[in-house]
Amino acid sequence: MNHDQIKKALHDKGLTFTALAKASGKKYQTLTACSMRKATSKPCALIIAAGLGMDVNEVFPDVEQYKSKSRKELTTGSLDKAKAALKKANLEVAVA
């Protein structure tokens, strides 16, 4: 979504950047800068997405920084690290 789409969607929900800013303790300028892609802030992007009732990746699909790894990706990465740690500790018999 671009800034104007976000602004309209917030308006449709009876919200503004100012209301989100006051509710979150952020400055409305920071939220609008994030919405306009003039600044990157995952916390601000999450606030905007929450206000819209959407996932941050739906609102900001073009901002790589906001993309979350899936649970499967996180688990696979953690599993590989755990296996490597067990092997390094000479505990290969414990590795499944």
Side-chain angles (χ1 to χ4, degrees), residues 1-10 16-17 20 27-49 52 56 59-63 66:
M1 299 176 77
N2 66 35
H3 174 70
D4 290 330
Q5 291 169 324
I6 293 170
K7 189 174 177 178
K8 181 183 180 327
L10 286 173
T16 62
F17 286 110
L20 286 176
K27 293 182 179 182
Y28 83 91
Q29 295 95 329
T30 305
L31 294 176
T32 57
C34 178
S35 173
M36 296 168 76
R37 281 42 171 211
K38 291 186 177 183
T40 25
S41 167
K42 191 165 184 177
C44 289
L46 290 169
I47 290 165
I48 293 167
L52 295 173
V56 70
V59 182
F60 298 97
D62 56 319
V63 183
Y66 303 157

